[in-house]
Amino acid sequence: MSARNLFSHSFRIAWKDLMELFRNRMELFLLILMPIFMMGMVGFIYPSEASLSNVPVALLNEDMGFLGADFVLLFEEINNNTGMVAITEAQNFDEVREMIQRGDVQGGIILPSNFTSSLVGGKQGTIIVVADQSNPQISAALQGVLKGVFEEMGTMMAQQRLIEEFQVDPAVSLAMVKPFNVQFEDIVSGDFSYFDFVAPGIMAMTVMMSVMTGLPAAISKEKEVGTLDGMMVAPINRLSIILGKTFAQTARGLLQGAVILVLSVTLFGVTIQGNILLVFALLVLGVFSFVGLGVVITSFAKDQSTAVMMMTTLIFPMMFLSGVFFPVEQMPWYMQSISKFLPLTYLASALRKVMVLGAGIPMISFELAVLIGFGTILTAIAVPVFKRAMTR
Amino acid sequence: MIEVKNLTKKFGDFVAVDNISFKVKKGEIFGLLGPNGAGKSTIIRMLSTLARPTSGTATVGNYDITKNDGEVRSLIGLVSEKMILYDLLTAKENLWFFGKLFNLSKEVLLRRIDELLDLVQLSEWKNSQVGTFSTGMRQRMNVIRALLNMPEVLFLDEPTLGLDPQSSVEIREFIRKLNRENKTTILLTTHMMVEADMICDRIAIIDCGKIVALDTSSNLKKSISGVDTTMLKIGIKNLTQDLIKSMRTLKCVESVTQENSTYIKVHAHGEEAFDAIIDSIRTKKGKINSIENLQPTLEDVFLHITGHEVRDKADQKIPLERHRGFMPKNRVR
């Protein structure tokens, strides 16, 4: 059977599938709604570490000296400007603990009774920050932010003393207290958030999910309804059935990907640095890299619901282990090694490089090679398995 | 046109088709008659290259169904038990899609679609979605769908299943017309005796995966009637089980079936049969309302050959393909 026939038959089948999709208004509507939900969910639920707003904390000042009172005043003034925490006064440590246990506050700031005397006596004044351990994300953010604020306050205090007690020129006082100035710069300009990190990953994941659940569902549905027989008795290469189905599902996935892209840019302020055509080309390559797996599952699943179940079971670990939501580098080594075997890892990484960092093809050549490799091997396994399974 | 040699299909330990051989001549309407679960559909699936035989072989138009399956597929049309139509596509789009899979050119295909729709009086529904059609309309679509490539061999799996009498008649007439005008060789399966009797040139009666009889309808009937055989339908006013039992003990009587509260059907042989039956009714003080001498039907043939009535045995016998299927280990090449 010639290659021309193979492709023309595939496109016929793809056309037919897409026609059915566009006639099915409800499915089309849900198809577009799904990525909107997904983006909204991820965009608003995940906290970004740099900013805290109105996190309830308890403040306990056990110090009777003047420096403690000064400290509290200064801190409250800073907080009034930034609004990062909502302060509740506490009388003793037990009360702070109870408030955290009840969930009234998510952390506490404690000035111990020797705060003023230590500072006056030439020692460091200790500030204790307690955090709600049941909520690691908030407590990490709280710890980070409060540490920064208190260090800044300490710097200001030291500067003041240098100027007042040692008559240091105010202009050089900062350099004396903090000789190093750390600056953060980006290689591409723009404001970056967690969203810029997840948007490429979510695109990769949505396209993958669309193809991986769509393909087995589409084939096993036709198997159940009986229409697959109609294609099977036509004198066509059976390969064009999977090819056609894959084209249709890819188109479906890319449509969802495009919805995500538009949403991220318009609603969530994601800027795309790289070439948008390269982004779509990568998504298509991504589909090629894991479509073989979908075909193998289709061949083994006896009906539609089994196929979808099998797919979902596989998709979940992929979603969390491939660095879509959390960086792979944060995972323990054994999880990291699992993620090395998931094509989605490389797709998400390549997309991120292109979308966030504006990388071109040479910078993502490794990911490209891996994706092509995955695709070739999986397809080589899938095609004979599918052909055998179709004729029992 | 079709030659089947020792064809066998097993699903696990279950033998669906058991060492079957038969030939279908060119231009013939050949019927596979048998109850659900007898293996008729499996035979059709193997012949139309949708299933692989466990052993044995068959050729369709001189092409081997396993070695030259591509060539076989370009010769055949399949009307499956399930309707091969996409509900969301229009009549024309459905035919267009399947026609294109047969590499028909645009002009030929467009003309053929119009001709076929016209043939089954669906032209005015050309641009309506098939999902909105009635069952009869859908089945007509289902049949013409298989005719797009002008197949030399047409496989019909229960073509009138679930249709009302009128639609059934239309479909049967259409099948006969097709055979007469295009010389299409037709292999059809049915569990309806009447249907097989009406349209098939030759009939193979299939039970439990085996061919138990193969001949023309009239020869099959002759085989059980003839001078030696008597078939009576007797109406008895005061019919009792005791009476039936005593009749069964008669030497000449082969079978007695009770039709309802007054009628029984008696199948007997021997010259003295008629007298013996009447005598046995008299001795039990039965009051005879009517006696009718019956011509044997295919149903009687089936009953006679297999020793049991045609009934649905699917619940105990048919291996549900979907429940085994697709696991490669079950298949033997």
Side-chain angles (χ1 to χ4, degrees), chain A residues 9 23 222 229 238 392, chain B residues 52 73 86 88 93 103:
Chain A
H9 292 148
R23 295 264 166 87
E222 290 217 28
D229 287 347
R238 285 174 181 179
R392 282 148 293 158
Chain B
R52 207 176 278 138
R73 285 205 287 271
Y86 296 99
L88 289 169
E93 284 164 348
N103 293 329

Side-chain angles (χ1 to χ4, degrees), chain A residues 127-361:
Chain A
I127 306 163
I128 300 166
V129 174
V130 288
D132 173 4
Q133 281 135 308
S134 69
N135 191 339
Q137 269 190 317
I138 291 286
S139 54
L142 197 67
Q143 285 168 355
V145 169
L146 289 180
K147 190 170 186 237
V149 170
F150 294 153
E151 271 173 8
E152 194 63 27
M153 285 166 70
T155 310
M156 279 161 67
M157 222 167 119
Q159 257 180 294
Q160 203 116 25
R161 276 186 70 187
L162 279 177
I163 295 164
E164 283 170 8
E165 288 178 30
F166 300 97
Q167 278 80 42
V168 174
D169 181 1
V172 298
S173 62
L174 182 62
M176 286 187 74
V177 185
K178 274 179 86 174
F180 302 127
N181 176 17
V182 185
Q183 279 193 12
F184 299 100
E185 274 190 22
D186 308 317
I187 56 168
V188 285
S189 58
D191 247 353
F192 287 95
S193 63
Y194 177 72
F195 227 33
D196 292 88
F197 168 78
V198 285
I202 291 190
M203 257 174 92
M205 199 187 72
T206 312
V207 175
M208 180 193 78
M209 267 171 56
S210 188
V211 176
M212 294 291 262
T213 55
L215 186 69
I219 294 186
S220 39
K221 184 189 139 209
E222 290 217 28
K223 210 189 280 174
E224 270 177 70
V225 177
T227 45
L228 191 67
D229 287 347
M231 288 190 258
M232 302 281 288
V233 291
I236 60 172
N237 191 331
R238 285 174 181 179
L239 201 57
S240 52
I241 299 176
I242 352 175
L243 263 182
K245 292 267 165 198
T246 308
F247 288 151
Q249 297 303 323
T250 308
R252 209 177 78 132
L254 290 183
L255 178 72
Q256 288 191 314
V259 172
I260 292 180
L261 204 63
V262 170
L263 280 179
S264 338
V265 173
T266 54
L267 280 180
F268 299 101
V270 171
T271 42
I272 292 159
Q273 304 292 337
N275 186 338
I276 198 143
L277 285 177
L278 186 56
V279 171
F280 277 96
L282 270 174
L283 288 176
V284 172
L285 179 64
V287 170
F288 167 69
S289 73
F290 41 59
V291 76
L293 190 58
V295 173
V296 171
I297 290 195
T298 312
S299 313
F300 281 96
K302 58 188 180 187
D303 56 30
Q304 197 180 344
S305 49
T306 318
V308 173
M309 276 296 282
M310 285 167 91
M311 255 4 281
T312 319
T313 317
L314 278 178
I315 282 175
F316 257 92
M318 277 203 215
M319 232 160 77
F320 290 106
L321 291 183
S322 52
V324 170
F325 296 115
F326 317 104
V328 177
E329 291 75 13
Q330 282 183 354
M331 299 173 195
W333 63 269
Y334 46 92
M335 287 298 184
Q336 286 198 28
S337 35
I338 294 176
S339 84
K340 287 199 179 75
F341 291 99
L342 304 173
L344 188 59
T345 308
Y346 301 94
L347 179 59
S349 145
L351 277 176
R352 205 168 280 143
K353 283 183 184 174
V354 174
M355 285 169 70
V356 182
L357 301 180
I361 293 176

